[in-house]
């Protein structure tokens, strides 16, 4: 049976330049995907509020996943895409209010830490280097909480264990620790694969692109994966379905996607029929 493809991609350091956050170098490939009727879906650690802006700038109208697979958004017909009411949301992780409740209880048990919800946008801005508007977008969360650990290092295992009892995980990120549910980016990949299989009534394969540790599960779950090199630390994956882009960021993204499009050209007729 024939199959169709979708493309799923990380943002920072992958489709967006590590330094400038620009996707300009990927425009050719983004347009080629559009012409081939291959949906491009974002799968990012960013929040909903942060993602909708980038998604509009790129010109995408597809569904997307935020906060490392915690929250998925499927656009409703006719919406502008700038309000949460324009989407059907699927929370695969722990709902944010419940997550905050658990963190509140753990603080009362004596653990010392500070989360985005405890901070003003100004504090988040000072810690992240984001401007204050971006910081307030980063504070609007659905299913994960970045925290600054203010307690002794040797109390982390007990904290981690207390979280695990509530089905929550503690993951180390670049600047913060992140508290989140059992979700990861692969969950979003599986969800959207099923979504398109239902929609198109045919098997769907996924090309996934990413650059970081938090992309590893998504890349492993894809049918074909492209690791975009990261100037600081390039992800090492050795599976047969993994390729490496020849250069970092959107330029590498674009070259890898265009090269891949050449290889699947014969099956593109399906996309044309789908209109
Ligand atoms: Mg990244």
């Amino acid at each position: 049976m024939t199959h169709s493809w979708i493309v799923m991609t990380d943002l920072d350091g992958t489709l967006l330049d590590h330094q400038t956050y620009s996707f300009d170098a990927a425009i050719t490939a983004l347009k080629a995907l559009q012409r081939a009727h291959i949906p491009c879906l974002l799968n990012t650690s960013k929040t909903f509020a942060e993602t909708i802006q980038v998604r509009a700038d790129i010109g995408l109208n597809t569904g997307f996943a935020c906060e490392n697979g915690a929250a998925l958004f499927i656009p409703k017909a006719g919406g502008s895409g700038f309000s949460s009411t324009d989407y059907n949301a699927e929370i695969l992780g722990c709902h944010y209010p419940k997550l905050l409740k658990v963190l509140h209880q753990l603080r009362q048990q004596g653990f010392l830490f500070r989360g985005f919800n405890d901070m003003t946008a100004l504090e988040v801005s000072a810690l992240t280097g984001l401007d204050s508007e971006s910081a307030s977008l980063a504070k609007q969360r659905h299913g994960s909480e970045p925290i600054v650990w203010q307690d002794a290092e040797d109390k982390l295992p007990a904290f981690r264990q207390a979280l695990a009892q509530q089905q929550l995980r503690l993951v180390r990120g670049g600047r913060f620790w992140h508290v989140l549910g059992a979700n990861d980016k692969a969950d979003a990949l599986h969800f959207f694969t099923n979504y398109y299989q239902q929609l198109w009534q045919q098997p769907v394969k996924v090309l996934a692109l990413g650059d970081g540790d938090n992309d590893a599960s998504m890349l492993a779950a894809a049918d074909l994966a492209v690791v975009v090199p990261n100037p600081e630390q390039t992800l090492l994956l050795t599976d047969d379905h993994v390729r490496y882009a020849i250069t970092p960021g959107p330029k590498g993204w674009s070259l890898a996607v265009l090269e891949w499009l050449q290889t699947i050209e014969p099956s593109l007729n399906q996309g044309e029929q789908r209109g």
Side-chain angles (χ1 to χ4, degrees):
M1 196 176 179
T2 54
H3 59 264
S4 289
W5 285 90
I6 61 174
V7 170
M8 179 166 267
T9 183
D10 171 51
L11 279 174
D12 293 342
T14 301
L15 179 53
L16 302 184
D17 183 90
H18 193 65
Q19 305 285 334
T20 65
Y21 298 100
S22 165
F23 59 87
D24 287 355
I27 287 174
T28 314
L30 285 163
K31 286 193 170 152
L33 287 175
Q34 210 173 19
R35 276 196 305 275
H37 302 282
I38 296 173
C40 179
L41 297 103
L42 305 177
N43 193 351
T44 175
S45 59
K46 288 182 187 293
T47 63
F48 169 82
E50 293 174 294
T51 310
I52 50 171
Q53 187 58 57
V54 183
R55 175 180 176 271
D57 292 344
I58 298 172
L60 298 175
N61 58 9
T62 41
F64 57 92
C66 297
E67 299 181 45
N68 290 311
L72 314 185
F73 297 89
I74 303 108
K76 295 178 189 168
S80 69
F82 282 101
S83 155
S84 59
T85 57
D86 294 334
Y87 300 90
N88 291 312
E90 289 277 340
I91 308 296
L92 299 186
C94 178
H95 285 258
Y96 194 53
K98 188 195 162 202
L99 200 153
L100 292 181
K101 197 171 151 198
V102 171
L103 287 176
H104 178 69
Q105 286 163 353
L106 291 181
R107 186 175 283 123
Q108 289 191 320
Q109 287 172 28
F111 293 109
L112 298 174
F113 59 89
R114 206 162 158 73
F116 272 22
N117 188 60
D118 309 312
M119 302 178 197
T120 62
L122 209 63
E123 284 177 270
V124 172
S125 172
L127 283 171
T128 56
L130 295 171
D131 62 46
S132 66
E133 194 191 340
S134 304
S136 76
L137 299 182
K139 269 173 58 67
Q140 298 169 31
R141 311 197 67 85
H142 284 81
S144 66
E145 178 73 337
I147 62 166
V148 176
W149 186 247
Q150 299 175 313
D151 216 327
E153 282 285 315
D154 64 7
K155 283 198 175 171
L156 274 168
F159 183 65
R160 188 188 294 278
Q161 198 179 356
L163 288 171
Q165 282 169 1
Q166 305 287 334
Q167 284 75 50
L168 294 174
R169 298 186 300 141
L170 184 66
V171 176
R172 189 195 281 274
R175 286 193 179 86
F176 303 100
W177 288 93
H178 296 263
V179 177
L180 69 167
N183 54 278
D184 64 29
K185 284 189 175 191
D187 298 321
L189 182 142
H190 293 305
F191 178 91
F192 280 110
T193 308
N194 288 331
Y195 173 84
Y196 280 100
Q197 269 170 193
Q198 299 273 328
L199 188 69
W200 293 339
Q201 292 295 308
Q202 71 176 167
V204 166
K205 290 192 178 187
V206 187
L207 166 70
L209 303 98
D211 75 314
D213 285 340
N214 62 339
D215 297 315
S217 68
M218 169 181 76
L219 296 170
D223 297 281
L224 189 63
V226 173
V227 175
V228 175
N230 180 316
E232 279 164 25
Q233 192 182 13
T234 294
L235 189 61
L236 285 176
L237 296 176
T238 54
D239 299 292
D240 285 346
H241 73 287
V242 178
R243 312 268 180 281
Y244 276 75
I246 57 171
T247 186
K251 177 88 180 154
W253 192 98
S254 194
L255 292 171
V257 167
L258 290 171
E259 190 182 74
W260 167 74
L261 275 172
Q262 301 263 322
T263 68
I264 64 152
E265 206 83 90
S267 64
L268 288 185
N269 299 333
Q270 300 159 245
E272 300 298 335
Q273 280 161 20
R274 232 171 21 238

